[in-house]
Amino acid sequence: MKLWVRIEAQEKLVEVSERDGIYSVTLDGDTRLVDCRSAGHRDYLSLIIDNKSHLVECAPISFEDGRYYANISGRRYDVEVLDERLFATRQATAVVKDMGPYVIASPMPGLILDVRVKIGDPVKAGSAVVIMEAMKMQNELVSEIDGVVKAINIKANDAVESQTPLVEIERTE
Amino acid sequence: MKLWVRIEAQEKLVEVSERDGIYSVTLDGDTRLVDCRSAGHRDYLSLIIDNKSHLVECAPISFEDGRYYANISGRRYDVEVLDERLFATRQATAVVKDMGPYVIASPMPGLILDVRVKIGDPVKAGSAVVIMEAMKMQNELVSEIDGVVKAINIKANDAVESQTPLVEIERTE
Amino acid sequence: MFKKILIANRGEIAIRVMRSCREMGIATVAVYSDCDRLALHVTYADESYHIGPPPSKDSYLAADKIIDAAKKSGAEAIHPGYGFLAENADFAAACETAGLAFIGPPATSIRQMGNKLDARRTMSASGVTVIPGSEGPVASAPEAAGIAREVGLPVMIKAVAGGGGKGLRVVRDAADIDKAVDMTMGEAESAFADGRIYVEKYIENPKHVEIQVLADKHGSTLTLGERECSMQRRYQKVIEEAPSPSVTAETRAALSQAAKKAAQAVGYVGAGTVEFIMAQDGSFYFLEMNTRLQVEHPVTEVVYGVDLVKEQIRIAAGLKLELEQESIRLRGHALEVRIYAEDPHANFMPSTGVIKRLVLPEGPGVRNENGIYPGYTIPIYYDPLIGKVIIWAEDRGTAIRRTRRALQEYQIDGVTTNIEFLLWAISQPGFLDGTYDTHYIERHFKPELLHSDTGELDLAMIAASIAAYGRLNRTNVSRAEEARDNVWRRVARMEGLRKPRL
Amino acid sequence: MFKKILIANRGEIAIRVMRSCREMGIATVAVYSDCDRLALHVTYADESYHIGPPPSKDSYLAADKIIDAAKKSGAEAIHPGYGFLAENADFAAACETAGLAFIGPPATSIRQMGNKLDARRTMSASGVTVIPGSEGPVASAPEAAGIAREVGLPVMIKAVAGGGGKGLRVVRDAADIDKAVDMTMGEAESAFADGRIYVEKYIENPKHVEIQVLADKHGSTLTLGERECSMQRRYQKVIEEAPSPSVTAETRAALSQAAKKAAQAVGYVGAGTVEFIMAQDGSFYFLEMNTRLQVEHPVTEVVYGVDLVKEQIRIAAGLKLELEQESIRLRGHALEVRIYAEDPHANFMPSTGVIKRLVLPEGPGVRNENGIYPGYTIPIYYDPLIGKVIIWAEDRGTAIRRTRRALQEYQIDGVTTNIEFLLWAISQPGFLDGTYDTHYIERHFKPELLHSDTGELDLAMIAASIAAYGRLNRTNVSRAEEARDNVWRRVARMEGLRKPRL
């Protein structure tokens, strides 16, 4: 299977096949045989490659987007893995994504303390739009783009779930 | 629900009902309200009864026989819990069980080291019939009854799974 | 000795206290809010009382409900842990009024140390060095400028009611004093409804060191050496250690003497901590006294071989200290790393969720203090501190290497933690050589620094590729099956069509 | 210092050794049999080499395969752990021949201590008191009777090749000697193909105490106090402690002196343990020397603040001991309880299976040594020891109460363990007062004793009733649904029947 794999700034083409629990993984033209098994839990992979032993916690963050994380000795890496279908989808949606409205969503469940904008307000990238409290801490949710506030779905003192769309911002060029 | 509950030498009739996660449990004519929830895992029950807090690991050993275990602070209790159907079944099978052939089965996977009997041998209750090795230890499997060896399904050096019938003994009166 | 104690807290500290109680044969009573019904402290306690809805003010800060639960349960004493009501003098007084022992200092000691300016004055009067500055609140910019001339620049303009890094401003240039005073007063007025300010000399690159104190009701006060807590992020301690790599035996003796004086000046009883700001030249100044058990108390426990919670309980029960200052001996070195449910890649945003898997570090010299278990859901209402790892070793170098080993062993699934950040922190040159100060992290940390191992990048790619391969294969198979099913269905339909109509 | 070490073992001890290696910056190499591919030591190591099928003789005892793996990996040294090849002189010699450091004593020391009769003679000659008895093998019953007269009854008739409680017989009456000699010889011949026997005085109600020794290659030998290991079941240690409640400071000094002499007599290098039998009057006799790390080494580590594995590695690398006998100081008290996968209700039958849930005891003074993790399958081929809990506390009473607390916290699902039995053992009057001897458990333990708490019986009934209620309800609902489905199906069929035929 051909996979497009992206980690941090790098993107590589990876070829994977499997026989009897041993995986053949080709990366940078270099083919390695990987003895890979789940150790007690599906997401914990014990990999032995050239007798080097590794334990990696690895699972999808979002299978449909090909987003995975890999945790190695306490360090967490975000990895994107796409097969041909997902790769094609990403190519197709990348353009659309940059055009559509930008939505600030709650990163976790919590309480809205303050909404710093009104509909029609101009917003600069990096400016705080909503203040929410979770776990005794105040967190600023900032806009990543320049734009104008188009919709506000919450008000102060609202309790929100994770990934609730809070404020919609329309891009200004 | 009416339940026949047996622990060690005691057997009691217990009445259980539930509303909103609070159980009403009547035991010895004494009705207690029990706030019972699974703590992180189905088999770990957090019970609060009259503000007393208990954590009990409790699960069926064999649901169809109504056999459960309850682990309280490291102590393990075997409890039989029967509803009307299971109670009736037990009553009906109790007689048959005492009449049928007696089978010595392997309590765990292991290696048969020695079979101490031949077909037709008389066997006394408490005498060793099979020696098996598991986890570096030799274990004697003894007959619980007086009888005559009727069948032998294994020989020395056989590897056996758990609950494999090894030797069948016919009861002598 | 008490037969039953109520613990007015939750999380790791509630469990910590209950463990000592169990070992002393004392029954424990937990209190819990709605969202904590399945919290570990509730299942661990002998008795548990529900005290209200999740917000702290309605439950863990509701003094009357807690005292009520204590009375219902027949508890004879209340241990407040840290945070919540631990430094609330009114609560301490209310306990005593209700006939319950408060496992902490007398309400008067809490009050005397609670107000920063009062504490400064009391300490000054008792001969404990405080940071040079104004005696009391400063009314105007010219008055502030006068003090600045006296103690020398830089100075800090601080709100009397401030705390946690809010309401303070550093002035390095005399010309900036007017503006700084104005702004701090305005901020203090709006944030704390108390516009008063005072002026202190600003100590450059300070270290935070603190002395553990134990005092009984019979006049004995002793000290258990220092902890250094200069690894901080936004005034939140991240790593603590005992002893401090920067404290010599002479400084330790001087710090201990000052801490003892401070505790005695307020008639202190119980376990408490006197915090000092230490300048790079080793001079030190009283900062404040925490009139309770500290989060980082275990580092002192492991190097001195004491159980501070048991000492607290014994003291509250009126027993004399059995420890003697002369026989207390420091052994080896201890570190504590705090595990927070927060994402170091995303500005330390707190993280919540269900703990799916939890494998703690174990083995030689590793102590875990936790309030979580596999299957537990971390609620959004409270502190994101989910656990602590305390490391003991023969010496500081070994302790640091053991801490790295322990952090690498830590497996926690379902929430994001700061473990990566801790691994970064303990590997910093400034931490390794012990020169770090309280601003070290803000000067040096950038999230980009967390990813640097190139060998790991390849491994992450391989692991993710295999994980994806398995899942995509299954998905493709099921897609294929679906497609095949569709074909069959179509065939069936066609066959149906072909059947001769009846 | 070595850069890479191969650990020729599995389970908790392999992890124990690897942890010290990691902390020393030494890379680790694991070896594994087929059934251990997912064992913790394989995933924990930096490198892992497959060495064969599950039976030990084909893998963990296959010296050539292990040496081969060491060479392939570039390891410079081999740590044997305990058991398997740890006391195999030929293996130690083969390592040295292959240019690999064996982390243990020289082959000659192992050989000298390996043969019991030889060791007795060497010790006797070096002035270490051995149990009075025959100098060498005894050829006949009259010769045995002569020795019995000399040392006094009771005596023990022991097979030279015996071990693990096999091939020995106690004689209390002179009239029984003939028969006992005959039977033991016969048994020894058939069991060990070596009919030789010898005679020793039998010590009534003995205690098992042992001294930890460390010796470097530069002539330094030092001792780290005693451990008592008299809580045994069928010669298997169950609980160990340091210090022994029965050893006074004078006895400790005498034991240490004897142990040092014993180690020096065989030119010992590395960590080793000299075991003694101690009579009720405090007199003691050399029993044997274990020329390796003991299972129970951590109790010594926590009271003396040393890392014995690091010392072993340092010694093997040729370094001088940095510890000095004078500065070694005992602090507090330590206990170790061994967690076995075995059923105390069923004659301690071993138990295997998948560890579904594992929550270890934590908090102050608790150290876990484990080779398992949640999801791990315990194989049937090896030792049923799955973990150890080591407890440290200020004093013995606190250590015992802490051990109880820790055992109550231990949650392990999927296999049956001896935790209940350990709770029974640490609560025994003879354990609490420290008078227990090596026969205590066999004299006092009955499985019926494990269930005694009547309050818990009610609770178990309530919990099981609720658990059953939920499950039965669901089952009844699904039965009802099934029944309803059947009714519908029947109705449908009947409707079908009623349909007018076309």
Side-chain angles (χ1 to χ4, degrees), chain C residues 143-163:
Chain C
E143 195 184 334
I147 291 164
R149 269 193 303 277
E150 206 174 290
V151 303
L153 286 167
V155 294
M156 190 135 58
I157 314 292
K158 289 171 93 169
V160 170

CSV table of all heavy atoms in Angstrom, one decimal, chain C residues 143-163:
chain,number,residue,atom,x,y,z
C,143,GLU,N,5.9,59.3,46.8
C,143,GLU,CA,6.3,58.4,47.9
C,143,GLU,C,7.0,57.2,47.4
C,143,GLU,O,8.0,56.8,48.0
C,143,GLU,CB,5.0,58.1,48.7
C,143,GLU,CG,5.3,57.5,50.1
C,143,GLU,CD,4.1,57.1,50.9
C,143,GLU,OE1,3.0,57.6,50.6
C,143,GLU,OE2,4.2,56.2,51.7
C,144,ALA,N,6.4,56.6,46.4
C,144,ALA,CA,7.0,55.4,45.8
C,144,ALA,C,8.4,55.7,45.3
C,144,ALA,O,9.4,54.9,45.5
C,144,ALA,CB,6.2,54.9,44.6
C,145,ALA,N,8.6,56.9,44.6
C,145,ALA,CA,9.9,57.3,44.1
C,145,ALA,C,10.9,57.4,45.3
C,145,ALA,O,12.1,57.0,45.1
C,145,ALA,CB,9.8,58.6,43.3
C,146,GLY,N,10.4,57.9,46.4
C,146,GLY,CA,11.3,58.1,47.5
C,146,GLY,C,11.8,56.8,48.0
C,146,GLY,O,13.0,56.6,48.3
C,147,ILE,N,10.9,55.8,48.1
C,147,ILE,CA,11.3,54.4,48.5
C,147,ILE,C,12.3,53.8,47.5
C,147,ILE,O,13.3,53.2,47.9
C,147,ILE,CB,10.1,53.6,48.8
C,147,ILE,CG1,9.3,54.1,50.0
C,147,ILE,CG2,10.5,52.1,49.0
C,147,ILE,CD1,7.9,53.6,50.2
C,148,ALA,N,12.0,54.0,46.3
C,148,ALA,CA,12.9,53.5,45.2
C,148,ALA,C,14.3,54.0,45.4
C,148,ALA,O,15.3,53.3,45.2
C,148,ALA,CB,12.3,53.8,43.8
C,149,ARG,N,14.4,55.3,45.7
C,149,ARG,CA,15.7,55.9,45.9
C,149,ARG,C,16.4,55.2,47.1
C,149,ARG,O,17.6,54.9,47.0
C,149,ARG,CB,15.6,57.4,46.1
C,149,ARG,CG,15.7,58.3,44.9
C,149,ARG,CD,15.9,59.8,45.2
C,149,ARG,NE,14.8,60.3,46.0
C,149,ARG,CZ,13.6,60.7,45.6
C,149,ARG,NH1,13.3,60.6,44.3
C,149,ARG,NH2,12.7,61.2,46.5
C,150,GLU,N,15.6,55.0,48.1
C,150,GLU,CA,16.1,54.4,49.3
C,150,GLU,C,16.7,53.0,49.1
C,150,GLU,O,17.8,52.7,49.5
C,150,GLU,CB,15.0,54.3,50.3
C,150,GLU,CG,15.3,54.4,51.8
C,150,GLU,CD,14.0,54.5,52.6
C,150,GLU,OE1,13.4,55.5,52.6
C,150,GLU,OE2,13.7,53.4,53.2
C,151,VAL,N,15.9,52.1,48.5
C,151,VAL,CA,16.3,50.7,48.3
C,151,VAL,C,17.1,50.5,47.0
C,151,VAL,O,17.7,49.4,46.9
C,151,VAL,CB,15.1,49.8,48.4
C,151,VAL,CG1,14.3,49.9,49.7
C,151,VAL,CG2,14.2,50.0,47.2
C,152,GLY,N,17.0,51.4,46.1
C,152,GLY,CA,17.7,51.3,44.9
C,152,GLY,C,16.9,50.6,43.8
C,152,GLY,O,16.1,49.7,44.1
C,153,LEU,N,17.1,51.0,42.6
C,153,LEU,CA,16.3,50.4,41.4
C,153,LEU,C,17.0,49.0,41.1
C,153,LEU,O,18.2,48.8,41.4
C,153,LEU,CB,16.3,51.3,40.2
C,153,LEU,CG,15.4,52.5,40.4
C,153,LEU,CD1,15.7,53.5,39.3
C,153,LEU,CD2,13.9,52.1,40.3
C,154,PRO,N,16.3,48.1,40.4
C,154,PRO,CA,14.9,48.1,40.1
C,154,PRO,C,14.0,47.8,41.3
C,154,PRO,O,14.5,47.2,42.3
C,154,PRO,CB,14.8,47.0,39.1
C,154,PRO,CG,15.9,46.0,39.4
C,154,PRO,CD,17.0,46.9,40.0
C,155,VAL,N,12.8,48.3,41.2
C,155,VAL,CA,11.8,48.0,42.3
C,155,VAL,C,10.6,47.4,41.6
C,155,VAL,O,10.4,47.4,40.4
C,155,VAL,CB,11.4,49.3,43.1
C,155,VAL,CG1,12.5,49.8,43.8
C,155,VAL,CG2,10.7,50.3,42.1
C,156,MET,N,9.7,46.8,42.5
C,156,MET,CA,8.5,46.2,42.1
C,156,MET,C,7.3,47.0,42.7
C,156,MET,O,7.4,47.2,43.9
C,156,MET,CB,8.4,44.8,42.4
C,156,MET,CG,7.3,44.1,41.8
C,156,MET,SD,7.8,42.5,41.1
C,156,MET,CE,8.4,41.6,42.5
C,157,ILE,N,6.4,47.4,41.9
C,157,ILE,CA,5.2,48.0,42.4
C,157,ILE,C,4.1,46.9,42.5
C,157,ILE,O,3.8,46.2,41.5
C,157,ILE,CB,4.6,49.1,41.5
C,157,ILE,CG1,5.7,50.0,41.0
C,157,ILE,CG2,3.5,49.9,42.1
C,157,ILE,CD1,6.4,50.9,42.0
C,158,LYS,N,3.6,46.6,43.7
C,158,LYS,CA,2.7,45.5,43.9
C,158,LYS,C,1.4,45.9,44.6
C,158,LYS,O,1.4,46.7,45.5
C,158,LYS,CB,3.4,44.5,44.9
C,158,LYS,CG,4.6,43.8,44.3
C,158,LYS,CD,5.4,43.0,45.4
C,158,LYS,CE,4.9,41.5,45.4
C,158,LYS,NZ,5.8,40.7,46.3
C,159,ALA,N,0.4,45.3,44.1
C,159,ALA,CA,-1.0,45.5,44.7
C,159,ALA,C,-1.0,44.8,46.0
C,159,ALA,O,-0.6,43.6,46.1
C,159,ALA,CB,-2.1,45.0,43.8
C,160,VAL,N,-1.5,45.4,47.0
C,160,VAL,CA,-1.7,44.8,48.4
C,160,VAL,C,-2.5,43.5,48.3
C,160,VAL,O,-2.2,42.5,48.9
C,160,VAL,CB,-2.3,45.8,49.4
C,160,VAL,CG1,-2.7,45.1,50.7
C,160,VAL,CG2,-1.3,46.9,49.6
C,161,ALA,N,-3.5,43.6,47.4
C,161,ALA,CA,-4.5,42.5,47.4
C,161,ALA,C,-4.1,41.5,46.2
C,161,ALA,O,-4.8,40.5,46.0
C,161,ALA,CB,-5.9,43.0,47.1
C,162,GLY,N,-3.0,41.7,45.6
C,162,GLY,CA,-2.6,40.9,44.4
C,162,GLY,C,-2.2,39.5,44.8
C,162,GLY,O,-2.1,39.1,45.9
C,163,GLY,N,-1.8,38.8,43.7
C,163,GLY,CA,-1.4,37.4,44.0
C,163,GLY,C,-1.4,36.6,42.7
C,163,GLY,O,-2.0,37.1,41.7
